[in-house]
Each structure stands twice: as C-alpha cells, then as structure tokens.
Amino acid sequence: MELLEAIPKFFNYGFLINALIVGTLISLCASLLGVSLVLKRYAMIGDGLSHVGFRALAVATVLNWAPLAVSIPVVVVTAFLLLRLSERGKIKGDAAIALISAASLAIGVFLMSLSKGMNTDIDNYLFGSILALTQADVALSVVLSIAVIVVFLLFYHRIFAVTFDETYARATGLKAGLYNSVLALLTALTIVLGMRMMGALLISALIIFPALSSMWLCKRFSAVTVVAAIVSLGCFFVGLLVSFVYETPTGASIVIVNLTVFTVFYLIYKIKQM
Amino acid sequence: MTLISCENVTLSYDGNVAVEGVDCQIAAGDYLCIVGCNGSGKTTFIRGLLGLLKPVSGSIVFSDGLKRQDIGYLPQQSTVQKNFPASVREVVLSGRLSRLGISVVYRRQDKQAAREALELLQIADLEKSGFGELSGGQQQRVLLARALCAAPDGLKVLILDEPMNGLDAHAKTELYATISELNHKQGITVLMITHDVQAAIQHADRILVLEGKQEFYGDTHAFQHTALGRSMLRDSCGNNCAVCGIGLGDL
C-alpha cells in the first residue's frame, strides 16, 4: 500500500522524473541486448565495460571534463577491444575481461582518491545515484537509447542468427563480425548511459538478470526478448519506487527486485517440471 | 556434369598449411564423403568450398551455373547450443536471412520456404516446438531444414560437417536415410565430412581421403580395394566389415 500511495508523489520531483525517463530507456536497451549477450556468453563484457566506464568517469572528474564525453568513446573502444580478445586473443576472453575490469576499477579508485580523497563521488559512481542525472544527461540518454532500440529492431533477425549459430551465419555470407561489433557498440552505449544511475558495480545486472529470468519460462527467442524487456521495465519501476519510499540505494533496489523475479521464475520453472 | 572443380588446392589456417594438393571434380548428383583424422584438413577444405577461405594456391571453380547461394551448409553440431531458447520456426527461418535484404521482417515466401523444408524432412509438426526440447536427431533435422530453405531456386549442393556426431544409432540410421533421399529423389549433390569410413562406403558413391593432403579421391568401390581403403576399414571395423559385407581377408 505504502508503495502505491507513493506513486502520485513521485511525479512532484524533477530528479525522479529524470531517473524515470533514463531508467526506462536504459532498462529496455539493457534487456534487449542482454538476451544476445547472455546467450553468446558475453555477459561478463558488460561487467568489464562498466568498470572501464568507472575509470573514464574518474579521469573526467580529475580533469574536470564532461563525464559522458570522456566515458562514451573510452568504453566503445574497449568494447571492440574486448570483443576482439574474446574472438582471437592470446589471452582467453574471460581472463582478458577480468584483467581489464580489475585494472580499470583500481585505476579509477586511485585517480579519484588523488583528486579529492575518498569521498562520496566514488560511492555514487560505484553504486549509482539518481541525483547524478542532469538535464543534458537525460537528453543524451533519450537520443542514444532510441538509437540503440531502433538499431536492435532493424538488425533483430541478424542478431538472432549470429547469436544462435555464428559459424553458419558466417558461412552463409552474413557479416557476423559487423553484427558482433554492432552488439558491442550498443552495449557500450547502454553501459555508459546506465552506470551513473545504477552504478559501475550494478549496471551489468540490468543486462544479465532479465535475460536469465525470461529464459526460465520462454522457449522462443522472440518471447525471451519480449519477456526480458517487460521484466526489466517492471523491475526498474518497482525498484525505483522502493528506493524512493524506503530511501534505499536505487541501483541496489532495482537489482534486488530483479533477483526476486529471477527466483520466482526459477521456482515456476521447477514446479512446471514436476 | 561437373559442379565444382578443385585443382591442386592448398588452403591454410592461421598461417599454417592445413591441406594441400586437393584435386577433385564434384558432379551434379554426387554423394561424396570426406574422411580423415582430426586435423587432417576436412573442415578447412569445406571452408574453402564455402568461400570462407581463399586457396593459397590452386583453384576452386563453380560451373554449370552453380552459385554460392545454391549451397546449403550444416555445420558441426557443436557450434549450436543444445538448449538455445528458439522455436524450430525461428531456427529454420534464419536460413532465409541472406534473402532478407533490407527488409526487417520475413516475407510470405520465406515462411512458405521454411514450411516446405520442414515438410520435406517430415518434421512440420515440430514447427512450434522449442529447439532445446528436441532430441539430437530432431535438432539435426531442423538444422538440415534451415540449410534446405536457404537456396532461392532450390538447393543444388548440401555440405554436412560431421552431421552424425552425438546421435544414437537409430537417429543416425534415420538421418543417413534422409540424406540419401535428398540425394536420390531431390537430386541434391551431397558432400559430407565423416569419421565413419564404413558408413561412407555404404552410403556415398565417391570418397575423398584427406590427411593434410589428398590421399585418395575416387569411387567408393575402387577405394575398398586399395591398400589405404583396406587399412582404414580394418581400423574402423576390425577384421570383418559387417556394414559393407566385405571380409577384409578377401580384399
């Protein structure tokens, strides 16, 4: 009841409306991309990229530059690098991601501490803050998120093909490398846009949880994609509301709601198996 | 009529020569099995035929109007996740991807081609099933349907990379029968990689043995009477070959 009563009050706060707009779009983008990333076993790329994003934000903070202007190109370039390493690097993909992820986190924390000492900025970057979103962030998020969604829909069948069977896709002349790059680019943009609200440590959950939850119950790729999107949006709204009412961290609240849905879907799957 | 001519083909992979000196003429209606040990260059040769690798030397020439789009391909099953959440319909339709062009949705003729491929392989009733729910044999048939519906004007050549891997004896028998039917009744030229020399002799009419280079190319009957053929049969089925019915002592 308390949660439902809080909904009208929700719209009295400008920063919450910003969070609602950005969060809705990011949740949708993350869930759409998440299905392919999880199935291609690239889920950890999201985690690695968010840590790289944290490092980029730290550098921007130290140099007093615009955070997104620094982090977007850095994360996009890293996404392509990780993709290449996963495909044919001498270091195995998971080890490369772990290496880049840990190094980026360490460099980020180090730079931030040199700049101002350990302060609340680090907490905000690591665990997210809805207060961190400016009008400019919102505008950029809307434009880029719409671009991510449109590109995903345009290439939906091709993304399915490279996700299901890349060998076959390549053999039939599909430019699998190009579509993997599109996937990496869209993921990088989603990570950068979402990490200020969700935090560097939690943004990858937005990619992984909805996809995994929907896979318990759906057997068609299209159904998995649609249900993942619905789950992601639902979990975001409930998580944001919980965060608002109980004054809990936004990113953590959204992830806990996602975890709850994942557990419920798993139990339904198990019951159906009996 | 020759469809594919390979002349002294050498192919390399990651800078190393994988297979060399391949000379063969594949004619319309042939059923060719490509045999050899792991790492003998079988898959590399297939990749060359599919245009994914360019020969370092020699040539692969398509003739009699054969185009790349007329070739269907069934990769090794290991490239596909067994429990992937996709319906049979989604998987088979993905065979039509190269025909999608700038469209973002499949057209009516794509859906019709997918349905016809499922009917041809007698798995139309599985159309709405989840790919992950199927047996290994059924999954292979679905992937075969995907390969069949890919060609715009009917498939001319079907390339299969170890299609029997992981299948039980019953599923293997059924799949061999289906492939033979596609070859005999539909006139599709079949090129199949296999480790099973006995099955190759039983089903195919030509055989290509690769061991980093071409060891043999010719018809299966002639192959059984070569020293290499006898040796490979002995390795694969002991002293007496139950499948081809030949006592090796008599060869």
Side-chain angles (χ1 to χ4, degrees):
Chain A
M1 273 313 281
E2 205 176 344
L3 287 177
L4 291 177
E5 284 165 9
I7 294 175
K9 293 181 202 162
F10 202 83
F11 294 97
N12 294 334
Y13 300 94
F15 72 93
L16 278 177
I17 294 172
N18 283 348
L20 195 64
I21 295 168
V22 173
T24 301
L25 291 166
I26 296 302
S27 301
L28 194 56
C29 294
S31 60
L32 294 178
L33 297 170
V35 175
S36 278
L37 292 173
V38 167
L39 287 168
K40 283 175 78 66
R41 304 203 169 107
Y42 286 172
M44 284 309 290
I45 285 184
D47 204 47
L49 289 181
S50 61
H51 293 180
V52 172
F54 172 72
R55 183 186 64 186
L57 287 176
V59 171
T61 304
V62 169
L63 299 174
N64 207 21
W65 289 349
L68 288 180
V70 176
S71 50
I72 287 177
V74 169
V75 176
V76 167
V77 169
T78 312
F80 290 132
L81 185 71
L82 283 177
L83 190 67
R84 200 172 163 77
L85 282 171
S86 302
E87 284 172 351
R88 54 189 136 177
K90 287 195 173 171
I91 303 174
K92 292 284 178 201
D94 56 344
I97 292 168
L99 188 125
I100 289 176
S101 174
S104 297
L105 197 59
I107 292 169
V109 172
F110 185 79
L111 287 176
M112 297 280 273
S113 65
L114 276 184
S115 160
K116 298 178 185 171
M118 297 295 279
N119 55 28
T120 51
D121 276 359
I122 288 191
D123 266 2
N124 287 344
Y125 286 138
L126 287 177
F127 301 108
S129 166
I130 48 175
L131 298 171
L133 299 169
T134 64
Q135 282 299 331
D137 289 340
V138 175
L140 189 62
S141 298
V142 169
V143 171
L144 289 179
S145 299
I146 290 172
V148 169
I149 293 164
V150 168
V151 171
F152 181 86
L153 293 176
L154 284 177
F155 293 138
Y156 170 80
H157 290 301
R158 290 161 176 89
I159 289 173
F160 168 78
V162 294
T163 306
F164 177 69
D165 189 354
E166 193 171 316
T167 308
Y168 178 81
R170 282 182 192 276
T172 53
L174 193 74
K175 293 180 173 62
L178 172 70
Y179 294 107
N180 280 335
S181 299
V182 167
L183 208 54
L185 173 69
L186 301 183
T187 306
L189 291 176
T190 304
I191 294 282
V192 175
L193 296 175
M195 64 178 286
R196 300 197 69 198
M197 187 179 72
M198 288 294 292
L201 295 182
L202 298 174
I203 180 67
S204 59
L206 227 51
I207 288 177
I208 299 164
F209 270 107
L212 288 177
S213 298
S214 60
M215 280 176 211
W216 286 125
L217 299 185
C218 304
K219 58 185 181 184
R220 281 183 296 128
F221 187 78
S222 54
V224 169
T225 308
V226 170
V227 171
I230 293 168
V231 164
S232 188
L233 290 174
C235 290
F236 167 71
F237 290 131
V238 174
L240 189 62
L241 208 55
V242 167
S243 162
F244 173 62
V245 173
Y246 299 107
E247 295 177 11
T248 51
T250 313
S253 306
I254 294 168
V255 174
I256 288 169
V257 176
N258 266 294
L259 175 65
T260 309
V261 170
F262 174 83
T263 311
V264 170
F265 278 27
Y266 171 72
L267 291 174
I268 294 172
Y269 166 76
K270 279 291 175 193
I271 290 165
K272 282 169 83 176
Q273 293 285 95
M274 284 178 188
Chain B
M1 194 165 298
T2 302
L3 283 181
I4 304 171
S5 305
C6 299
E7 285 186 16
N8 200 22
V9 173
T10 298
L11 292 155
S12 67
Y13 193 74
D14 278 345
N16 302 315
V17 171
V19 62
E20 58 189 335
V22 182
D23 262 307
C24 60
Q25 310 285 316
I26 299 159
D30 270 0
Y31 188 151
L32 169 73
C33 273
I34 304 165
V35 297
C37 302
N38 286 335
S40 60
K42 304 185 296 296
T43 299
T44 306
F45 176 59
I46 289 296
R47 287 169 62 83
L49 293 179
L50 289 167
L52 299 174
L53 283 177
K54 284 192 175 167
V56 177
S57 64
S59 64
I60 298 172
V61 178
F62 291 172
S63 47
D64 195 28
L66 181 70
K67 297 185 290 290
R68 171 64 198 86
Q69 303 96 284
D70 301 327
I71 301 176
Y73 175 50
L74 181 64
Q76 281 186 38
Q77 232 190 352
S78 58
T79 65
V80 175
Q81 294 176 46
K82 302 278 187 288
N83 57 352
F84 192 97
S87 69
V88 165
R89 190 167 184 267
E90 286 176 314
V91 172
V92 177
L93 266 175
S94 70
R96 301 289 290 181
L97 200 62
S98 58
R99 315 248 314 133
L100 203 56
I102 54 166
S103 172
V104 292
V105 290
Y106 290 111
R107 291 155 301 181
R108 190 181 299 164
Q109 57 263 44
D110 297 321
K111 293 171 186 169
Q112 181 63 26
R115 207 168 296 123
E116 282 171 7
L118 288 168
E119 280 165 7
L120 183 65
L121 296 175
Q122 297 167 350
I123 48 170
D125 55 320
L126 297 178
E127 187 176 3
K128 290 179 181 164
S129 305
F131 182 76
E133 296 171 334
L134 307 180
S135 67
Q138 287 172 323
Q139 287 189 341
Q140 279 299 63
R141 278 171 182 272
V142 171
L143 298 177
L144 198 52
R146 177 183 65 173
L148 288 178
C149 78
D153 307 312
L155 200 69
K156 289 185 181 166
V157 177
L158 178 62
I159 297 179
L160 309 113
D161 193 348
E162 300 189 28
M164 306 301 165
N165 274 6
L167 301 188
D168 60 37
H170 178 66
K172 276 184 189 174
T173 306
E174 285 196 330
L175 192 56
Y176 272 124
T178 302
I179 294 165
S180 289
E181 201 172 302
L182 290 172
N183 178 244
H184 295 135
K185 291 191 180 166
Q186 305 292 324
I188 296 172
T189 304
V190 173
L191 277 70
M192 179 165 72
I193 290 182
T194 180
H195 284 289
D196 191 341
V197 182
Q198 301 172 49
I201 288 170
Q202 190 184 9
H203 297 283
D205 43 40
R206 300 185 79 73
I207 192 161
L208 171 66
V209 182
L210 298 177
E211 289 302 338
K213 59 186 171 64
Q214 182 173 312
E215 296 286 352
F216 180 87
Y217 173 66
D219 72 59
T220 47
H221 184 70
F223 175 69
Q224 297 171 76
H225 298 281
T226 62
L228 178 67
R230 284 196 295 270
S231 154
M232 290 183 81
L233 278 167
R234 195 176 299 119
D235 287 347
S236 66
C237 54
N239 290 328
N240 288 294
C241 183
V243 176
C244 61
I246 296 172
L248 289 169
D250 302 328
L251 290 174

